[in-house]
Amino acid sequence: MVVDPPAMRVISSVMGMYDLMESKVTLVEDLVKKRASFPDMGAIYLLSATSRSVDRLCRDYMPEGDREGPLYGNACFVYFLGKLPDKLLSQMKSCKPLIKRIKGLGEINVDFLAKEARAFHFDMGPAFADLMLNPEGPTKAHAMVAAKLVTVCATLNEYPHIRYRASSKVGESIAQIFHKKMNDFVGASADWWYYGDPKHTSRERGQILLLGRTDDALSPLMHEFTYQAMVNDLLPMKDDQITYSADKEGGGKQDKDVLLNEKDEIWVELRGQHIAAVIQTLSARIRDVVNSKTGSALNQTDSSGKPISMSQMASALKALPEYKELMSKLSMHMTIAHRCMEVLNKKGLMDLSDLEQTLATGTDDNGSSPKLPALIQQVDDELSNMSDPKAKLRLLLILIVSQKGLQENVRDRLFEVAQLSSSDKKTLMNLEKMGISTVSEEKKTSFFGGQKLASSGRGQAESEYAASRYITDMKIVLENMANNLLDIEEYPSVMPMPMPKSTSSGKGGKNGSSSRRSLAQSARKSSGASWGKKEEKKIINYTGHRNIVFMIGGMCFSELRAFHEVLDSTGVEIYAGSTSFDTPSRFVKNVSSLSKGGDSAKKSPKGPRKKTRE
């Protein structure tokens, strides 16, 4: 199999080399690298539909350098992730040695990375500026997002009603382009079907909601203390891979690379939980295994006659075949969770987070509303004590975004206290390019004097953890979407929306929603099963239409957590997608990239021509 880098990313998001070998694929090669010739073997190509990949494909079958004939044999199967433009198809046809060997040609419509069971992204993090800076109309990046959305809907058999947030110009722009591309796809695909068509009435047509990152620039900056968010924010992790220090069988430690993804059941269960709850759960499960019949049967004393410790007992259990894999997994996650806590404590993030939460929600953990000058003084003190320029920049971004700007003299004074570099100052000023003012209007004063603290998000009064009071805007949107409560003026549709039926999700179908909710809750309750044996998973049969929410400009991990919480609590089927899944540091880099501009001068050849700005 020959793949280009985008196709390799797509494959890697859902399977490993072992899975490919099980499908009798013994060799996977990179299209852009130099490869050995196999003139007696056929080739399967999986490529992105780009001129670079098509050009390289054609070169494989033309004489090049010392090679006089084709790189591969007489059988060639070529598949593209998305729609192949007519221009590139003509280029392939002009390569006679290639055309006469093609035995299969198709578009498989998987131009996205399936990172979780119901969450995907487009691997478009570097395109942030191209997406957000569009003063003269739709950009190529807008058209690319729309084309990739078509492949998502084609895979799900959805021809969705398209909605967008009215305040998001980039959302409106992509919604219009996507509408046209989706209609073109349906018209050109006679054999393709979708839910809600005359022959598939088991559920209604779904809906997709497009949101823009500029409508909530605060959530990606906040410190989040759930497991998945902390691992990505605080530890070196790339493409789900992390390195941790594992025990050697003969004693000592060794670095080990592991993947934290859908194949790790413990990760899937615990990733959305607060780090304190994760450590408590892992400790309890290790203790349960140690206290099991097998653990109790082990010698309870060491060579000196003293009772052995819990860690010694765990080590002894790892040697038993039936517990080796389980204990290894539990120990791995315990090690990673403790590493998160070590970084948290070293950086003093718990105290810093309390300040962030107060700025974001407008109230402290006692429910009081502090005055803004007092909090600005706290920010001043934090900046004076910080040594990491990135941490200073992040705190200032949180302050400015949450308060919708500061008085100019206050802003400039904090810049001096933080000793910002010129590039960091540019990053802060780039908020203006996202429509977020860095200078506020005159703040209102409270009855007793002093400026009032602005609130950028809803607080969660029932939160068990004071550092987790802030509720991301995404959760509110998802809850309203699941219950058919999205206001049509605030979230208009490209085409008129149908009236909700009694069998649809949310308020329009209380009975159906109730039964789905109870089933989802029973599935959650069963997740704390005994770890001595594998329990059969509960399968939820969703009814009603599907909902897809898509964030343009990157989705953060607190929003992914909110998505799972709403999915579980309502039982309504939701898919979450974005141009990328971003850590706070990645989002700050994205904001910084606005200084360099995007491809806004390169307009999309298709789509609305009206002037838009994000």
Side-chain angles (χ1 to χ4, degrees):
M1 175 180 280
V2 183
V3 297
D4 61 5
M8 188 70 254
R9 298 271 295 163
V10 169
I11 293 175
S12 299
S13 72
V14 292
M15 64 175 60
M17 190 61 196
Y18 175 80
D19 301 306
L20 285 171
M21 291 179 69
E22 285 288 293
S23 301
K24 299 182 180 180
V25 176
T26 57
L27 181 65
V28 179
E29 295 194 298
D30 190 334
L31 177 74
V32 300
K33 293 181 179 179
K34 187 175 181 179
R35 287 158 281 140
S37 177
F38 294 96
D40 297 328
M41 293 180 62
I44 302 173
Y45 287 85
L46 181 59
L47 310 172
S48 54
T50 63
S51 57
R52 182 184 180 188
S53 291
V54 170
D55 178 65
R56 195 65 190 84
L57 166 66
C58 293
R59 285 165 55 190
D60 280 357
Y61 292 87
M62 299 292 289
E64 187 174 74
D66 296 334
R67 176 168 52 81
E68 297 181 357
L71 197 61
Y72 301 108
N74 292 327
C76 175
F77 301 83
V78 184
Y79 300 97
F80 291 95
L81 299 177
K83 178 177 173 55
L84 181 67
D86 292 340
K87 181 180 178 181
L88 297 184
L89 179 59
S90 298
Q91 182 180 346
M92 290 176 60
K93 288 180 178 179
S94 67
C95 181
K96 301 302 182 183
L98 169 65
I99 287 296
K100 71 180 184 179
R101 288 172 171 81
I102 288 183
K103 305 300 181 184
L105 177 65
E107 300 163 347
I108 63 172
N109 291 311
V110 285
D111 201 2
F112 55 90
L113 306 190
K115 301 302 290 185
E116 297 182 6
R118 285 186 172 79
F120 63 92
H121 71 74
F122 291 163
D123 208 20
M124 291 179 64
F128 185 82
D130 296 337
L131 289 166
M132 297 302 166
L133 299 177
N134 57 328
E136 299 180 7
T139 66
K140 287 184 176 180
H142 292 184
M144 182 181 293
V145 171
K148 288 175 180 286
L149 282 173
V150 170
T151 71
V152 171
C153 293
T155 299
L156 293 174
N157 291 105
E158 289 290 352
Y159 184 21
H161 301 286
I162 306 167
R163 301 180 71 173
Y164 56 91
R165 188 174 242 157
S167 60
S168 175
K169 298 301 182 183
V170 67
E172 181 181 5
S173 172
I174 292 176
Q176 297 290 346
I177 301 171
F178 172 54
H179 173 65
K180 183 181 186 309
K181 286 182 178 293
M182 194 69 212
N183 285 348
D184 291 343
F185 171 80
V186 174
S189 308
D191 296 332
W192 182 79
W193 62 270
Y194 60 89
Y195 287 107
D197 72 16
K199 295 182 179 180
H200 300 86
T201 58
S202 60
R203 64 194 319 165
E204 304 161 43
R205 282 175 64 181
Q207 68 170 323
I208 185 170
L209 175 64
L210 304 180
L211 305 173
R213 186 71 277 168
T214 56
D215 286 314
D216 177 15
L218 182 59
S219 293
L221 294 166
M222 299 287 288
H223 279 97
E224 165 90 358
F225 296 125
T226 50
Y227 190 26
Q228 183 181 34
M230 289 186 73
V231 169
N232 281 275
D233 186 12
L234 304 182
L235 303 182
M237 186 177 184
K238 184 178 181 181
D239 293 337
D240 301 332
Q241 181 175 299
I242 189 169
T243 303
Y244 79 105
S245 182
D247 294 327
K248 285 185 179 180
E249 289 189 8
K253 297 283 187 178
Q254 65 177 351
D255 287 343
K256 189 174 181 180
D257 294 334
V258 292
L259 293 174
L260 300 180
N261 55 26
E262 293 291 291
K263 293 184 178 181
D264 185 338
E265 293 183 3
I266 298 177
W267 169 254
V268 171
E269 179 193 357
L270 300 181
R271 63 189 172 195
Q273 295 185 22
H274 192 280
I275 192 68
V278 170
I279 292 176
Q280 185 178 10
T281 298
L282 291 171
S283 298
R285 289 185 179 168
I286 292 173
R287 192 177 299 109
D288 287 344
V289 175
V290 170
N291 293 332
S292 65
K293 290 182 180 180
T294 304
S296 300
L298 294 175
N299 188 0
Q300 296 293 303
T301 59
D302 60 17
S303 57
S304 63
K306 296 179 181 179
I308 65 176
S309 65
M310 182 72 74
S311 60
Q312 289 174 315
M313 181 72 75
S315 297
L317 281 165
K318 285 181 184 178
L320 300 176
E322 64 268 35
Y323 286 99
K324 186 175 182 179
E325 183 178 356
L326 172 60
M327 289 300 294
S328 177
K329 277 286 186 185
L330 291 172
S331 297
M332 177 193 81
H333 283 287
M334 182 67 85
T335 299
I336 294 172
H338 277 298
R339 279 184 61 191
C340 290
M341 290 300 297
E342 288 170 5
V343 176
L344 180 147
N345 292 325
K346 183 179 180 180
K347 295 186 175 182
L349 296 182
M350 196 57 72
D351 292 337
L352 178 61
S353 177
D354 186 58
L355 173 58
E356 293 177 1
Q357 294 288 316
T358 303
L359 288 169
T361 63
T363 59
D364 59 22
D365 57 354
N366 294 318
S368 303
S369 298
K371 294 185 178 68
L372 181 58
L375 285 177
I376 288 178
Q377 184 57 50
Q378 287 188 44
V379 172
D380 191 314
D381 294 341
E382 287 286 350
L383 292 172
S384 299
N385 294 327
M386 286 178 174
S387 59
D388 183 1
K390 294 180 180 178
K392 294 179 183 180
L393 176 59
R394 183 171 172 180
L395 177 57
L396 283 172
L397 284 165
I398 290 173
L399 173 63
I400 291 173
V401 173
S402 66
Q403 299 309 302
K404 301 175 176 62
L406 299 171
Q407 291 182 6
E408 190 170 5
N409 63 321
V410 174
R411 183 200 67 184
D412 294 343
R413 178 174 63 82
L414 291 176
F415 283 10
E416 291 182 9
V417 172
Q419 298 180 330
L420 295 178
S421 65
S422 58
S423 62
D424 285 346
K425 286 181 181 179
K426 285 182 180 179
T427 298
L428 280 160
M429 299 310 294
N430 282 345
L431 291 173
E432 301 277 355
K433 297 181 179 181
M434 296 175 65
I436 302 168
S437 178
T438 61
V439 177
S440 67
E441 299 177 0
E442 192 68 25
K443 294 284 184 181
K444 295 181 180 179
T445 58
S446 66
F447 180 77
F448 296 102
Q451 292 175 344
K452 286 184 176 180
L453 181 63
S455 171
S456 293
R458 186 172 70 181
Q460 186 170 262
E462 68 276 12
S463 175
E464 183 180 352
Y465 303 98
S468 301
R469 303 191 307 277
Y470 172 74
I471 298 178
T472 175
D473 177 67
M474 173 72 77
K475 185 169 186 179
I476 302 169
V477 172
L478 287 170
E479 288 174 339
N480 289 335
M481 188 179 193
N483 290 292
N484 286 331
L485 295 176
L486 289 179
D487 185 82
I488 196 65
E489 292 185 2
E490 188 177 358
Y491 299 94
S493 58
V494 174
M495 298 295 289
M497 293 287 293
M499 290 294 293
K501 298 179 182 179
S502 60
T503 56
S504 64
S505 60
K507 294 288 184 181
K510 291 183 178 179
N511 293 334
S513 179
S514 173
S515 63
R516 291 192 298 274
R517 186 179 299 112
S518 62
L519 186 52
Q521 289 171 343
S522 67
R524 289 201 310 280
K525 290 177 181 177
S526 68
S527 64
S530 168
W531 283 83
K533 59 181 179 179
K534 190 178 181 75
E535 284 233 343
E536 184 179 350
K537 290 184 179 180
K538 297 285 185 181
I539 298 176
I540 302 175
N541 293 316
Y542 296 101
T543 58
H545 67 259
R546 282 176 171 148
N547 299 275
I548 305 170
V549 62
F550 187 85
M551 176 64 76
I552 304 161
M555 184 177 288
C556 63
F557 290 97
S558 61
E559 290 169 330
L560 269 177
R561 169 181 56 81
F563 150 68
H564 285 292
E565 288 174 350
V566 175
L567 183 69
D568 288 347
S569 64
T570 65
V572 174
E573 188 169 15
I574 307 172
Y575 288 80
S578 181
T579 46
S580 58
F581 290 165
D582 291 338
T583 62
S585 60
R586 177 70 257 177
F587 177 66
V588 173
K589 288 180 181 178
N590 287 343
V591 177
S592 177
S593 72
L594 297 177
S595 299
K596 303 172 184 177
D599 69 353
S600 54
K602 305 171 187 176
K603 298 180 185 177
S604 169
K606 298 181 180 180
R609 304 299 296 173
K610 61 182 177 180
K611 188 174 181 179
T612 57
R613 179 176 59 85
E614 182 71 356

